[in-house]
Amino acid sequence: MLLSWRAPLTTAAIALAGCHLAGGLSGLEYVDDAGAAGGTTTTGGTGATGATGATGGTGGIGGMGGTGTAGGGDGGTATGGAPALDDSGLIVRYFIDEADSGTVAELQDSAPSPLPLSIVASSVMSFTEIGGNRGLTWNAIGLDDRASVAIDGTKIHQRLQGSTTATIELVLDLREATTSASRISHIGWDTENGRLTLRTRDAQLILFHVSDGVPVGEFPVDLAGSGRVVIHAVVDTDLTTPSDRARLYVDAAPVAATGGTPQALGATIDLSTGRHYVLGNREIGGRSFVGEMFYAALYDEALDPGTIANNTAALQLSDDHP
């Protein structure tokens, strides 16, 4: 599902796609077919070997001989099945598919111990459906519409506070942002830049914050020209190489940082208190973007490239409930 913003009214595609960078930088279940049954042998004869199962199916069962041994074909590896989202470290997951138009009161969390987000919407934000994917859409920058929840005492705070690892996972189509940096996925209070936050300036640069203050990474991404993309922002301060501690992937392809200050080895996430988790804005508003958000999730693990590739493939197929 998604949220979408169109052009401001005032002045104010199972295949992986490539990443989209500025300046040229660039759950699903397997369903097996039943295998063919093995033939029946003559009395006293040796059982015939069962037929090999169809591709992706279970091998056939060999016929039972009077004194012979039954044979059984080996099933092949399942092929053609769609990938399923990996839940390792999952804290919250919002499919944003509650409606295909209009608004509702809350976004529902599909992870254990659900934590719904309250929707604050005017004429700027509503549900939409594009290419079979539902989501939220915003049609103006710099306004107040959002989905959010206070995180003190919640599973977000309990599992991220003091952690050295985390991942933000999003599906969006963002076409315009404020020069003062629209919020995409934000944890923060008042005017602070954010803690475990993604901001974008002019839809050309993604700023990744883990603590308030300077970003831990600045990543050139032409969001305005990219269309619907899957984004992963990963923090792992247990890694030796400073530049590896904050990483960004667009459609599973890593994006090289061109700025930012890496965290110290072993540095932990400090969410402080009194903060909100907000999609598409900050809690005090004023930082909406134009475009859609179809899906959002948080993990307390640093997803590895293999998991990121798997989840990207799943989300490119569908970002709504399976």
Side-chain angles (χ1 to χ4, degrees), residues 37-42 45-51 60-65 68-73:
T40 303
T41 64
T42 58
T46 301
T49 301
I61 301 173
M64 181 65 69
T69 301

Side-chain angles (χ1 to χ4, degrees), residues 160-166 196 210-211 216 235-240 242 245-246 261-271:
L160 287 176
Q161 177 68 19
S163 177
T164 59
T165 58
L196 198 62
V210 176
S211 299
V216 296
V235 57
D236 187 349
T237 64
D238 296 324
L239 298 179
T240 302
R245 296 173 194 157
T261 303
Q263 290 182 284
L265 182 66
T268 60
I269 296 170
D270 180 13
L271 300 181

